[in-house]
């Protein structure tokens, strides 16, 4: 049996994954994280859409009301896409044997890459219905996503899932289902990098460098930044047990799915060009400027 010399191990703060038990109904931190992420993302998206200083000529291509209406679309996209991503990319055999498990979302099992594809579909459908610029809405969504990533990774930590590789670092923890060895709290690494750091990078880009004036640059920066953060953390995170390492004892499915994101992000940033929007006639009546 592998043993590691370790000099200090932090106590894993075991938190009940159910934060409110109402008998027939149980409210879990996992579900709450999605609510918190969508709520914060919605409020921040409204702020970006309603801030004329961030847009060329002071004109936003959509209104705060557009962002309000978009919430339903993106929520459906996140849930369906995230779930299908988990089924198809990470644990198809299990769900093939028990198809009803697909609907037991309270047991966990949401994949970011699948959720991303669901969001892309939601944006495309909404832009077609409401006739708002696709890339600019994608930029606003991208700048708001880190909230959901942060809360989602914190929920993973509370659930004691997706823990890291065995480690001797002073902040290593022994997870309840991770065996006797102390491990990297890789969920917290991801919360920090994908949530806090990525949000700050995007915030500087949109406010300091006014990247919303160059449609798809902010989205490209998000895609590239997430890909870098995810690939980095994969070196400290254990692969899904049903998949293991795909090659060489270090390549994981998370890396494979994230690498194309680097290329897409570079393309989006390199090809982004400045664009200004003309105010709609109804925008003259108030500060909530509208689409072109």
């Amino acid at each position: 049996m592998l043993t590691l010399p370790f000099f200090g191990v932090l106590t894993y703060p075991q938190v009940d994954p159910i934060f409110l038990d109402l008998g027939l109904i149980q409210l879990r931190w996992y579900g709450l994280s999605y609510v918190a992420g969508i709520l914060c993302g919605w409020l921040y998206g409204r702020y970006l859409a309603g801030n004329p200083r961030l847009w060329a000529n002071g004109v936003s291509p959509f209104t705060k009301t557009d962002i309000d209406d978009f919430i339903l679309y993106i929520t459906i996209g996140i849930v369906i896409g995230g779930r299908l991503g988990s089924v198809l990319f990470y644990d198809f055999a299990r769900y093939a044997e028990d198809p009803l498990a697909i609907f037991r979302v309270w047991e966990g099992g949401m994949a970011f890459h699948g959720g991303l594809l669901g969001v892309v579909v939601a944006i495309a459908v909404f832009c077609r219905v409401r006739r708002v610029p696709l890339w600019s809405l994608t930029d606003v969504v991208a700048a708001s996503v880190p909230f959901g990533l942060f809360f989602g990774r914190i929920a993973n930590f509370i659930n004691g899932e997706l823990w890291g590789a065995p480690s001797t670092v002073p902040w290593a923890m022994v997870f309840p289902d991770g065996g006797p060895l102390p491990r990297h709290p890789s969920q917290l690494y991801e919360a920090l990098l994908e949530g806090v750091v990525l949000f700050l990078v995007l915030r500087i880009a949109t406010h300091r460098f006014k990247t919303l004036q160059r449609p798809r640059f902010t989205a490209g920066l998000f895609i590239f930044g997430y890909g870098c953060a995810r690939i980095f953390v994969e070196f400290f995170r254990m692969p899904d047990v049903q998949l293991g390492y795909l090659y060489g004892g270090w390549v994981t499915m998370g890396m494979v799915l994230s690498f194309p994101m680097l290329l897409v992000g570079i393309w989006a940033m390199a090809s982004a060009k400045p664009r200004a929007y003309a105010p709609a006639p109804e925008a003259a009546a108030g500060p909530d400027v509208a689409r072109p």
Side-chain angles (χ1 to χ4, degrees):
M1 178 181 294
L2 174 66
T3 60
L4 294 175
F6 53 93
F7 303 98
V9 177
L10 293 182
T11 301
Y12 172 73
Q14 295 194 33
V15 180
D16 191 336
I18 301 174
F19 78 93
L20 184 60
D21 191 341
L22 301 178
L24 296 178
I25 300 177
Q26 294 180 335
L27 303 180
R28 297 173 176 265
W29 289 105
Y30 196 76
L32 182 63
S33 71
Y34 276 83
V35 174
I38 292 173
L39 177 62
C40 290
W42 163 58
L43 294 175
Y44 190 65
R46 293 183 92 251
Y47 159 74
L48 294 177
N51 189 341
R53 293 175 297 178
L54 303 179
W55 303 91
N57 298 333
V59 178
S60 172
F62 28 72
T63 68
K64 292 181 179 180
T65 301
D66 289 328
I67 302 299
D68 295 341
D69 296 340
F70 178 60
I71 288 299
L72 176 61
Y73 288 75
I74 197 171
T75 300
I76 294 174
I78 290 172
V79 174
I80 294 180
R83 193 59 170 173
L84 290 180
S86 179
V87 172
L88 298 176
F89 299 151
Y90 289 97
D91 208 357
F92 182 77
R94 172 200 166 196
Y95 292 107
E97 294 179 358
D98 182 15
L100 292 180
I102 297 176
F103 303 99
R104 296 197 290 269
V105 294
W106 57 87
E107 295 179 352
M110 298 286 282
F112 168 80
H113 297 91
L116 177 63
L117 293 177
V119 168
V120 169
V121 172
I123 293 174
V125 172
F126 183 82
C127 289
R128 183 175 181 84
V129 172
R130 297 295 287 265
R131 297 185 178 181
V132 298
L134 184 146
W135 285 117
S136 287
L137 181 58
T138 303
D139 286 339
V140 169
V141 172
S144 307
V145 166
F147 290 104
L149 294 176
F150 174 79
F151 289 117
R153 295 311 181 189
I154 295 298
N156 292 149
F157 180 74
I158 291 175
N159 285 350
E161 60 189 3
L162 305 182
W163 19 261
S167 173
T168 61
V169 297
W171 54 87
M173 298 180 183
V174 176
F175 289 89
D177 298 323
L181 298 177
R183 298 177 176 277
H184 284 286
S186 56
Q187 315 96 324
L188 300 184
Y189 299 172
E190 293 190 83
L192 176 63
L193 292 176
E194 300 169 5
V196 179
V197 174
L198 190 52
F199 171 78
L200 293 176
V201 170
L202 294 170
R203 173 82 179 192
I204 293 172
T206 56
H207 287 66
R208 175 75 173 177
F209 297 100
K210 301 297 190 292
T211 55
L212 291 178
Q213 299 179 16
R214 299 173 61 190
R216 78 168 162 263
F217 188 96
T218 304
L221 181 59
F222 166 77
I223 291 293
F224 181 82
Y226 177 87
C228 289
R230 180 62 182 268
I231 290 173
F232 174 77
V233 173
E234 287 290 317
F235 285 102
F236 304 95
R237 171 178 161 176
M238 289 297 293
D240 294 83
V241 63
Q242 69 276 10
L243 294 177
Y245 293 105
L246 303 183
Y247 178 78
W250 62 276
V251 177
T252 66
M253 178 61 79
M255 290 180 179
V256 171
L257 295 175
S258 296
F259 181 76
M261 298 177 69
L262 304 182
L263 303 179
V264 172
I266 292 173
W267 165 81
M269 289 187 286
S271 61
K273 297 179 180 180
R275 179 179 178 183
Y277 297 100
E282 63 269 23
D288 197 13
V289 290
R291 66 182 70 88

